[in-house]
Amino acid sequence: AKMRKKADFPTKVCATCGRPFVWRKKWAKVWDDVRYCSERCRSERLKLESWIILRCLSETSVLISEKGS
């Protein structure tokens, strides 16, 4: 098993913080699906997306109730 330099591994940009991150062995089987550099960024992004969805739903329900009156 030949050692590889870190620079030889593929990189991606985190969808939450925008920083580049490098392939890790634990991601070998799911590398195509990896979007976040850390668990923290993943949970922050999910919180943000949930907040946006709830906000859109509440604005939509306000518009529907105003339209109905």
Side-chain angles (χ1 to χ4, degrees):
K2 191 174 158 184
M3 292 291 287
R4 292 178 68 180
K5 293 180 185 169
K6 196 171 185 178
D8 295 339
F9 291 117
T11 61
K12 287 187 178 187
V13 175
C14 179
T16 302
C17 67
R19 288 182 284 211
F21 62 96
V22 179
W23 179 93
R24 295 182 191 161
K25 188 173 181 177
K26 70 179 184 176
W27 292 333
K29 294 178 183 174
V30 293
W31 178 244
D32 291 338
D33 300 326
V34 175
R35 295 179 57 205
Y36 310 106
C37 64
S38 64
E39 191 64 37
R40 181 179 180 184
C41 277
R42 187 182 71 80
S43 63
E44 286 298 314
R45 184 62 167 237
L46 294 175
K47 278 193 258 180
L48 176 65
E49 289 173 359
S50 298
W51 181 83
I52 291 169
I53 290 168
L54 290 173
R55 179 92 187 237
C56 290
L57 288 174
S58 66
E59 288 175 3
T60 304
S61 64
V62 167
L63 292 173
I64 291 170
S65 64
E66 288 175 356
K67 192 175 183 180
S69 33

